[in-house]
Amino acid sequence: MTEESIQTNPETTHIAPVSVSETDEYTGRVIRTIIAVLAGFLAGLVCFVTEGAAAQSGGSRSALFPILILIAAIIIQKHIFMLLRLNPSALEKKDWFYQGFMTFSFWFVTWTILLSGTAIETA
């Protein structure tokens, strides 16, 4: 049996390099997602603190105030994008829907977990 050597041409095995614009786009998407997560978390925390204080003082709870906090958290993201030079004008409707949905999700989950923790402690 004879062994034949397989020769590979280094020019034919080519891996396409990742362009700078693709990595910048990816980094921008990750940063926008992190901003949405943090905005939702902070909005949930603010709602918990303000609504918890209203409940303890015997005040009435308003369903409008937490919704306004959520809307403010979504709107303020545009200004954060401008500060970080992420070009918010390039975002389409589906991108803003994604930002709003991520913010809503983390707002809801954070606020629910915090409210559930206080319900267990008071029981």
Side-chain angles (χ1 to χ4, degrees):
M1 295 201 151
T2 61
E3 291 184 25
E4 294 180 23
S5 63
I6 300 174
Q7 295 182 2
T8 59
N9 189 356
E11 295 173 7
T12 59
T13 56
H14 182 333
I15 298 174
V18 177
S19 68
V20 176
S21 65
E22 288 178 10
T23 56
D24 288 344
E25 264 184 52
Y26 179 74
T27 305
R29 286 189 301 238
V30 169
I31 291 172
R32 285 194 305 265
T33 302
I34 290 171
I35 291 170
V37 167
L38 290 175
F41 173 75
L42 291 175
L45 194 62
V46 166
C47 288
F48 173 72
V49 169
T50 56
E51 291 297 306
Q56 288 177 354
S57 66
S60 64
R61 290 185 168 181
S62 170
L64 183 63
F65 185 71
I67 300 297
L68 291 175
I69 295 291
L70 173 64
I71 292 171
I74 294 170
I75 291 173
I76 202 166
Q77 291 179 39
K78 181 177 181 178
H79 302 289
I80 294 171
F81 294 161
M82 287 191 286
L83 286 174
L84 297 177
R85 292 180 170 72
L86 291 175
N87 194 11
S89 61
L91 297 178
E92 299 174 6
K93 288 181 182 179
K94 67 179 178 96
D95 297 320
W96 284 112
F97 178 77
Y98 172 76
Q99 290 297 124
F101 179 74
M102 289 296 290
T103 305
F104 168 78
S105 299
F106 276 85
W107 166 76
F108 186 76
V109 168
T110 302
W111 196 20
T112 303
I113 289 173
L114 290 173
L115 288 175
S116 296
T118 57
I120 293 171
E121 290 174 10
T122 58

